[in-house]
Amino acid sequence: MSTVQALQIKLESTLANPLLLTEQKQTTYLRVAVTGFRLQKENTSPVNVALVIDKSGSMQGQKIQQAKAAAKIAVERLRKDDIISIVSYDHQVDVLLPATKATDKQMIYAAIDKIVADGNTALYDGVQKGADELRKFLTRNQINRLVLVSDGLANVGPDTPQALGELGAKLSQAGISVTTIGLGLGYNEDLMTQLAKQSEGSHSFVENATDLTRIFDHEFGDLLSVVAQEVIITIQCAEGVRPVKILGREANINGQQIHIPLNQLYSEQEKYVLLEIEISPPAADQLLTVATVTVDYRNMSTNTLDQLTSQINARFTNNRQQVKDQTNAAVMANVVEQLAIEKNKRAVTLRDEGKVDEAKELLLENAQQLEQGASQYNAPSLSIMKEKNEQDADNLDEKNWNKQRKLMREEQYKRSTQQKY
């Protein structure tokens, strides 16, 4: 294991098997983790946030009232030099508050009060307009965030997960992340998670409108605790080491080099990536450099572009018991978790295809493997996942599936991206 600390961000690179067997190819896992430093209140970065609120007809009543109340509470957390804009949409888009400093809170509350639910759902256009407002004051030394609340299916303009994912990717390239909040049981969870995923944002499922205040409060707490942006992990595998795949995240594998964007990192938050690798041992019994890890990021405390590096080594032995004894249990627990998430995703696909029995069988098999992993690696978190997979298996019937699918997609997303709960 190699640990490097430069400035305040911590980089930790760890092999699941730091000791490997000689004279044979083996598969193991490399875990690269970055942890944000403890942020002092006086060092928080400026914020540029756009609230994009669905006001289609399905939002009438308690939903729109709770959304407005939650938005007001969130606005209370903004400081006078933070930037806020408010956009609402039904079949068309209205900019209720163009991007402006949060100095006059009463003016902002009045803009929120103007939201009245009616019409269809031009979600794509709403997100685009919110992004346009963010761009008016867009700089790299602040937190640029779009917060989307929607309870319905996009039915005006582009309406597919692919189209919204492509929009999210473009926003990410511009330095904007998107938080998506799905309200009730009528929205498209695939669309909302793709938009968040491609912009490296967060996603939450809120069944009851009364929970919106808690979600907004949590989201704006995150906004004010970002310590690093533009985080990119680069892994350069050594000769004789073949990168196989990244677990849980999308990454660009180009020969021996892998690039993984993480975008933002919060105060004291850990985010990690897991790379499966195949190692051909050296001819002699010696130390092998497996990979070099580089992390580039913008330090929001100093507004500088910083870089960390770490080198990972492995040793070889003929003693199988030694290899087993030196297995890193924490890394393997993460591996079991990410592999279980992939199986959980496959179960959703099977259920979507109407293969209810196969989906249930896969989830129960997953639960059994998670239980074994919890015991083998002393990982209580895997026991919690095991229970969730059993609950998933019990709720695949037509009556419960709509809600259960949203719960599963949310859980999958949060665990694969290490989103703060």
Side-chain angles (χ1 to χ4, degrees), residues 22-39:
T22 57
E23 299 181 357
Q24 64 182 66
K25 286 185 178 180
Q26 292 147 89
T27 297
T28 187
Y29 298 91
L30 169 61
R31 182 184 191 270
V32 178
V34 287
T35 305
F37 57 88
R38 185 179 179 85
L39 182 67

Side-chain angles (χ1 to χ4, degrees), residues 85-155:
S85 52
I86 299 173
V87 172
S88 66
Y89 66 91
D90 45 24
H91 54 280
Q92 61 185 17
V93 181
D94 296 317
V95 179
L96 302 178
L97 180 72
T100 186
K101 286 189 176 181
T103 49
D104 187 346
K105 297 288 180 71
Q106 294 305 314
M107 176 187 68
I108 300 171
Y109 300 151
I112 293 171
D113 284 334
K114 293 178 184 177
I115 302 174
V116 177
D118 189 29
N120 292 319
T121 310
L123 189 149
Y124 189 98
D125 291 344
V127 173
Q128 277 199 318
K129 184 61 70 174
D132 289 343
E133 292 300 315
L134 289 172
R135 288 189 179 97
K136 291 179 179 179
F137 293 91
L138 190 68
T139 65
R140 295 287 185 175
N141 65 343
Q142 66 185 8
I143 315 306
N144 304 293
R145 180 76 55 84
L146 190 152
V147 180
L148 169 69
V149 181
S150 180
D151 79 326
L153 301 174
N155 50 28

